[in-house]
Amino acid sequence: MLKLQGIAVSPGVTIGEALVLDSEGFRIPRRFVERSAVDTELARLAAAVAETTGEVERNRDAIRVELGDQYAAIFEAHLAMLHDPKLQEELTSAVRDRNWWPEYAVSRTLRRYAKAFQNLDNHIAQRAHDIYDLEKSLLRNLLGQRRETLAAISQPVVVLAHNLTPSETANLDRRLVKGFATELGGPGSHTAIVAEGLEIPAVVGVGPFLADVSGGEPVILDGNQGVIILQPDEETIAQYRLEEEAAKHVAARLDRLRDLPAETTDGVRIQIMGNIEFPSEVEQCISRGCDGIGLYRTEFLYLTSRREPTEEDHYKAYSSVVNAMGGKPVVIRTLDLGADKMLTETTPEEERNPCLGLRSIRLSLRQLPVFRTQLRAILRASALGDVRVMFPLISTIVELRQARMVLADVMEDLAEHGIAFNPKMPVGMMVETPAAVMMLDAFIKEVDFVSVGTNDLIQYTLAVDRGNKEVADLYNACDPAVLRLLRRSLDVAREAGVPANVCGQMSGSVMFTQLLLGLGLRQLSVPASAVPEVKQVCRSVSAADCRLVADKALSMYGAQEVKAYLRDQLRRLLAQTGA
Ligand code: PEP
Ligand code: MG
């Protein structure tokens, strides 16, 4: 049994069969060869070995010409490894005697070798990489055209991958993918956000572990604690089964809150809105009693499609959300593409610092036809219900004004053509950069509402990449700098009489509910899965007590101190209410 700690990003516990995807996306299930097909499969294995040999020889020869014999020797070593009689015998015997599928035999055997090398405390450990290279080459040659992808899953699995992009995650079949864990990834990554939206338990940033597991093996994924357990023993499986059951009971209890208002014990009504990435998520928001959609991340329309969405594609998505919400507010955020939310095919060129680069509103203002298409669709949808538009990542007043100008221009266009829309559609901006917070007193005069995007605000305030596991400990919503910016934003909005919301992941974590209410927040926008718990906390506290909690937290200087305090406050509250 091997227990590994990663970063918990989407709650839930699941036990299932592993589907391993390495960094090249190979999928190697534990599959067996029929006895009658053993010879054919052995021939396939031999052909793959021959093709890999050819590849290595070609590389060797090319390098010899470029750099000389000394460098070409590296490839000689690869060849020697590949043709090592013991290795060859092991592979053959795995197929012939154990009836393993050749792909599975290659993956299992070479990974065992690589692992043994990795465990050596000397320069030979480096050779593990060479073995992985050989494994990949053999798998490429074995799988050829039959290489399977995530899209071809046909039975329930727990996906274990080196990394998953937001678009790969968005395309996961949630009926079959019971959970996933990745070696890379940070706490605020969009992959994490999508997992939460899809309600798939997930753990990211585990570090290297794929060499320790093979497809088909049982695995436990604990998205609450950020843990994965490989080769679990019976006792651990039984314990987790109990946990799964207990979680179902809690969910059923929270379900009863659905039609009750999120009102504090001293009568303050809190609005709990839902965050969505896909129109299909509206169902979950409705069934959990959301007061509206506070953040619709429309860029996911791009991430699930291979072509540029048309105005009709946009309109179809927005109108289905607006119609389903039946008159409740729907805040549609304009495209926030760029940084990690980019299809590789559409990335114009490598950006050194994508988070600081051409993303979000900057990209929209550069690609006006794309922006106008989206705005037309949003405006058309505004004729159907309470639609509000929101611009992401505003960092200067010029951007805000430019975006509003494009919007006004598109409105004029629609009016000229007699196309219906709401000319008074509220316009808001996201507050996601320290610059926006510092200038909010000016911006606030030109918007109808604001929404604080703490996911990015944390990233830009603390200079930590939200998707990088190496600095995940610094990416902390409890950091006093973040709390002060948050307080300032909410104060400025309140003084100006402009509605404010917080739609970053922090507002979906009950650890922060008392703090946020104490800072004066009256509207939260959270992933649908978080609605019941957040509502329960809102209904258990008084706004007056929350103010004390916020004052105390804001008087602290260290993130750890704040975290310990907020955790303790939550624990006390839950103990008092018997939750
Ligand atoms: C945020 O930054 O807090 C936010 C809600 O936007 P996203 O996570 O999509 O960047
Ligand atoms: Mg953001």
Coordinates of all heavy atoms in Angstrom, one line a residue, residues 74-113:
I74 N 25.5 7.4 -26.1 CA 24.3 7.4 -25.2 C 23.3 6.5 -25.9 O 22.6 5.7 -25.2 CB 23.7 8.8 -25.1 CG1 24.7 9.7 -24.3 CG2 22.3 8.8 -24.5 CD1 24.3 11.1 -24.3
F75 N 23.2 6.5 -27.2 CA 22.2 5.7 -27.9 C 22.6 4.3 -27.9 O 21.8 3.4 -28.0 CB 21.9 6.3 -29.3 CG 21.3 7.7 -29.2 CD1 22.0 8.8 -29.3 CD2 19.9 7.8 -28.9 CE1 21.4 10.1 -29.1 CE2 19.3 9.0 -28.8 CZ 20.1 10.2 -28.9
E76 N 23.9 4.1 -27.9 CA 24.4 2.7 -27.9 C 23.9 2.0 -26.6 O 23.5 0.9 -26.5 CB 26.0 2.6 -27.9 CG 26.6 3.0 -29.2 CD 26.3 2.0 -30.4 OE1 25.7 1.0 -30.1 OE2 26.7 2.3 -31.5
A77 N 24.0 2.8 -25.5 CA 23.5 2.3 -24.2 C 22.1 2.0 -24.3 O 21.6 1.0 -23.7 CB 23.8 3.4 -23.2
H78 N 21.3 2.8 -25.0 CA 19.8 2.5 -25.1 C 19.6 1.2 -25.8 O 18.8 0.4 -25.4 CB 19.2 3.6 -26.0 CG 18.8 4.9 -25.2 ND1 17.9 5.8 -25.7 CD2 19.2 5.3 -24.0 CE1 17.8 6.7 -24.8 NE2 18.6 6.5 -23.8
L79 N 20.4 1.0 -26.9 CA 20.3 -0.2 -27.6 C 20.6 -1.4 -26.8 O 19.9 -2.5 -26.8 CB 21.2 -0.2 -28.9 CG 20.7 0.8 -30.0 CD1 21.7 0.9 -31.1 CD2 19.3 0.3 -30.6
A80 N 21.7 -1.3 -26.0 CA 22.1 -2.4 -25.2 C 21.0 -2.7 -24.2 O 20.7 -3.9 -23.9 CB 23.4 -2.0 -24.4
M81 N 20.4 -1.7 -23.6 CA 19.3 -1.9 -22.6 C 18.2 -2.6 -23.3 O 17.6 -3.6 -22.8 CB 18.8 -0.6 -22.1 CG 19.4 -0.1 -20.9 SD 18.5 1.4 -20.4 CE 19.8 2.6 -20.3
L82 N 17.8 -2.1 -24.5 CA 16.6 -2.7 -25.2 C 16.8 -4.1 -25.5 O 15.9 -4.9 -25.4 CB 16.4 -1.8 -26.4 CG 15.2 -2.3 -27.3 CD1 13.9 -2.2 -26.6 CD2 15.1 -1.4 -28.6
H83 N 18.1 -4.5 -25.9 CA 18.3 -5.9 -26.3 C 18.9 -6.7 -25.2 O 19.3 -7.9 -25.4 CB 19.2 -5.9 -27.5 CG 18.5 -5.3 -28.7 ND1 17.6 -6.1 -29.4 CD2 18.5 -4.1 -29.3 CE1 17.1 -5.4 -30.4 NE2 17.6 -4.1 -30.3
D84 N 18.9 -6.2 -24.0 CA 19.4 -7.0 -22.9 C 18.6 -8.3 -22.8 O 17.3 -8.3 -22.8 CB 19.1 -6.2 -21.6 CG 19.6 -7.0 -20.3 OD1 20.8 -7.1 -20.2 OD2 18.7 -7.5 -19.6
P85 N 19.3 -9.5 -22.8 CA 18.6 -10.7 -22.9 C 17.6 -11.0 -21.8 O 16.5 -11.5 -22.0 CB 19.7 -11.8 -22.9 CG 21.0 -11.0 -23.2 CD 20.8 -9.6 -22.8
K86 N 18.0 -10.5 -20.6 CA 17.1 -10.7 -19.5 C 15.8 -9.9 -19.6 O 14.7 -10.5 -19.4 CB 17.8 -10.3 -18.2 CG 17.1 -10.7 -17.0 CD 18.0 -10.6 -15.7 CE 17.2 -10.9 -14.5 NZ 16.1 -10.0 -14.2
L87 N 15.9 -8.7 -20.1 CA 14.7 -7.9 -20.3 C 13.8 -8.5 -21.4 O 12.6 -8.7 -21.3 CB 15.1 -6.5 -20.7 CG 13.9 -5.6 -21.1 CD1 13.0 -5.3 -20.0 CD2 14.4 -4.3 -21.8
Q88 N 14.5 -8.9 -22.5 CA 13.7 -9.5 -23.6 C 13.0 -10.8 -23.1 O 11.8 -11.0 -23.5 CB 14.6 -9.8 -24.8 CG 15.1 -8.6 -25.6 CD 13.9 -7.9 -26.2 OE1 12.9 -8.4 -26.6 NE2 14.0 -6.5 -26.2
E89 N 13.7 -11.6 -22.3 CA 13.1 -12.8 -21.8 C 11.9 -12.5 -20.9 O 10.8 -13.1 -21.0 CB 14.1 -13.6 -21.1 CG 13.6 -14.9 -20.4 CD 12.7 -15.8 -21.3 OE1 12.8 -15.8 -22.5 OE2 11.7 -16.4 -20.7
E90 N 12.0 -11.5 -20.1 CA 10.9 -11.1 -19.2 C 9.7 -10.6 -20.0 O 8.6 -11.0 -19.7 CB 11.4 -9.9 -18.3 CG 12.0 -10.4 -17.0 CD 12.3 -9.3 -16.0 OE1 11.3 -8.6 -15.7 OE2 13.4 -9.1 -15.7
L91 N 9.9 -9.8 -21.0 CA 8.8 -9.3 -21.8 C 8.1 -10.5 -22.5 O 6.9 -10.6 -22.5 CB 9.3 -8.3 -22.9 CG 9.8 -7.0 -22.4 CD1 10.3 -6.1 -23.5 CD2 8.7 -6.2 -21.7
T92 N 8.9 -11.4 -23.1 CA 8.3 -12.5 -23.8 C 7.5 -13.4 -22.9 O 6.4 -13.8 -23.2 CB 9.4 -13.3 -24.5 OG1 10.3 -12.4 -25.2 CG2 8.9 -14.4 -25.5
S93 N 8.1 -13.6 -21.8 CA 7.5 -14.5 -20.8 C 6.2 -13.9 -20.3 O 5.2 -14.6 -20.0 CB 8.5 -14.9 -19.7 OG 7.8 -15.0 -18.5
A94 N 6.2 -12.6 -20.1 CA 4.9 -11.9 -19.6 C 3.8 -12.2 -20.6 O 2.7 -12.4 -20.2 CB 5.2 -10.4 -19.4
V95 N 4.1 -12.1 -21.9 CA 3.0 -12.3 -22.9 C 2.7 -13.8 -23.0 O 1.6 -14.2 -23.0 CB 3.5 -11.7 -24.2 CG1 2.4 -12.0 -25.3 CG2 3.8 -10.3 -24.1
R96 N 3.8 -14.6 -23.1 CA 3.6 -16.1 -23.4 C 3.0 -16.8 -22.2 O 2.0 -17.5 -22.3 CB 4.9 -16.7 -23.8 CG 4.8 -18.1 -24.4 CD 6.2 -18.7 -24.6 NE 7.0 -18.5 -23.5 CZ 8.3 -18.2 -23.5 NH1 8.9 -17.9 -24.6 NH2 9.0 -18.1 -22.3
D97 N 3.6 -16.5 -21.0 CA 3.2 -17.3 -19.8 C 2.1 -16.7 -19.0 O 1.3 -17.4 -18.4 CB 4.4 -17.6 -19.0 CG 5.5 -18.2 -19.8 OD1 5.2 -19.0 -20.7 OD2 6.7 -17.9 -19.5
R98 N 2.1 -15.4 -18.9 CA 1.1 -14.7 -18.1 C 0.0 -14.1 -18.9 O -0.9 -13.6 -18.4 CB 1.8 -13.6 -17.2 CG 3.0 -14.1 -16.5 CD 3.7 -13.0 -15.7 NE 3.1 -12.8 -14.5 CZ 3.7 -12.1 -13.5 NH1 4.9 -11.6 -13.7 NH2 3.1 -11.8 -12.4
N99 N 0.1 -14.2 -20.2 CA -0.9 -13.8 -21.2 C -1.2 -12.3 -21.0 O -2.3 -11.8 -21.2 CB -2.2 -14.5 -21.0 CG -2.0 -16.0 -21.3 OD1 -2.4 -16.9 -20.6 ND2 -1.3 -16.3 -22.4
W100 N -0.1 -11.5 -20.7 CA -0.3 -10.1 -20.6 C -0.4 -9.5 -22.0 O 0.3 -10.0 -22.9 CB 0.8 -9.4 -19.8 CG 0.7 -9.6 -18.3 CD1 -0.3 -10.3 -17.7 CD2 1.6 -9.1 -17.4 NE1 0.0 -10.2 -16.3 CE2 1.1 -9.5 -16.1 CE3 2.8 -8.3 -17.4 CZ2 1.7 -9.1 -14.9 CZ3 3.4 -8.0 -16.2 CH2 2.9 -8.4 -15.0
W101 N -1.1 -8.5 -22.2 CA -1.1 -7.7 -23.4 C 0.3 -7.1 -23.5 O 0.8 -6.6 -22.5 CB -2.2 -6.6 -23.2 CG -2.7 -5.9 -24.4 CD1 -3.1 -6.4 -25.5 CD2 -2.9 -4.5 -24.5 NE1 -3.6 -5.5 -26.4 CE2 -3.5 -4.3 -25.8 CE3 -2.7 -3.4 -23.7 CZ2 -3.8 -3.0 -26.2 CZ3 -3.0 -2.1 -24.1 CH2 -3.6 -1.9 -25.4
P102 N 0.9 -7.1 -24.7 CA 2.3 -6.6 -24.9 C 2.5 -5.2 -24.3 O 3.5 -4.9 -23.6 CB 2.5 -6.6 -26.4 CG 1.6 -7.6 -26.9 CD 0.4 -7.6 -26.0
E103 N 1.5 -4.3 -24.5 CA 1.6 -2.9 -24.0 C 1.7 -2.9 -22.5 O 2.5 -2.2 -21.9 CB 0.3 -2.1 -24.4 CG 0.3 -1.6 -25.8 CD -0.2 -2.7 -26.8 OE1 -0.3 -3.9 -26.4 OE2 -0.6 -2.3 -27.9
Y104 N 0.9 -3.8 -21.9 CA 0.9 -3.9 -20.4 C 2.2 -4.5 -19.9 O 2.8 -4.0 -19.0 CB -0.3 -4.7 -20.0 CG -0.5 -4.8 -18.5 CD1 -0.6 -3.7 -17.7 CD2 -0.5 -6.1 -17.8 CE1 -0.8 -3.7 -16.3 CE2 -0.6 -6.1 -16.4 CZ -0.8 -5.0 -15.7 OH -0.9 -5.1 -14.3
A105 N 2.7 -5.5 -20.7 CA 4.0 -6.1 -20.3 C 5.1 -5.1 -20.4 O 5.9 -5.0 -19.5 CB 4.2 -7.3 -21.2
V106 N 5.1 -4.3 -21.4 CA 6.2 -3.3 -21.6 C 6.1 -2.3 -20.5 O 7.2 -2.0 -19.8 CB 6.0 -2.6 -23.0 CG1 6.8 -1.3 -23.0 CG2 6.5 -3.6 -24.1
S107 N 4.9 -1.8 -20.3 CA 4.8 -0.8 -19.3 C 5.2 -1.3 -17.9 O 6.0 -0.6 -17.2 CB 3.4 -0.2 -19.3 OG 3.2 0.8 -18.4
R108 N 4.6 -2.4 -17.5 CA 4.9 -3.0 -16.2 C 6.4 -3.3 -16.0 O 7.0 -2.9 -15.0 CB 4.2 -4.3 -16.0 CG 2.8 -4.2 -15.4 CD 2.8 -3.5 -14.0 NE 3.2 -4.3 -12.9 CZ 2.3 -4.9 -12.1 NH1 1.0 -4.9 -12.3 NH2 2.8 -5.6 -11.1
T109 N 7.0 -3.9 -17.0 CA 8.3 -4.4 -16.8 C 9.3 -3.2 -16.8 O 10.2 -3.1 -15.9 CB 8.7 -5.4 -17.9 OG1 7.6 -6.3 -18.0 CG2 10.0 -6.1 -17.7
L110 N 9.2 -2.4 -17.8 CA 10.2 -1.3 -17.9 C 10.0 -0.3 -16.7 O 11.0 0.2 -16.2 CB 10.0 -0.5 -19.2 CG 10.6 -1.4 -20.4 CD1 10.2 -0.8 -21.7 CD2 12.1 -1.5 -20.3
R111 N 8.8 -0.1 -16.3 CA 8.6 0.8 -15.1 C 9.3 0.2 -13.9 O 9.8 0.9 -13.0 CB 7.2 1.0 -14.9 CG 6.7 2.2 -15.7 CD 5.2 2.3 -15.8 NE 4.9 3.2 -16.8 CZ 4.2 4.4 -16.6 NH1 3.7 4.6 -15.5 NH2 4.0 5.2 -17.6
R112 N 9.2 -1.2 -13.8 CA 9.9 -1.8 -12.6 C 11.4 -1.5 -12.6 O 12.0 -1.2 -11.7 CB 9.6 -3.3 -12.6 CG 9.5 -3.9 -11.2 CD 9.4 -5.4 -11.2 NE 10.5 -6.1 -11.8 CZ 10.4 -6.8 -12.9 NH1 9.3 -6.9 -13.5 NH2 11.5 -7.4 -13.4
Y113 N 11.9 -1.7 -13.9 CA 13.4 -1.4 -14.0 C 13.7 0.0 -13.7 O 14.6 0.3 -12.9 CB 13.8 -1.7 -15.5 CG 14.2 -3.1 -15.7 CD1 13.3 -4.1 -15.9 CD2 15.6 -3.5 -15.8 CE1 13.6 -5.4 -16.2 CE2 15.9 -4.8 -16.1 CZ 14.9 -5.8 -16.3 OH 15.3 -7.0 -16.5

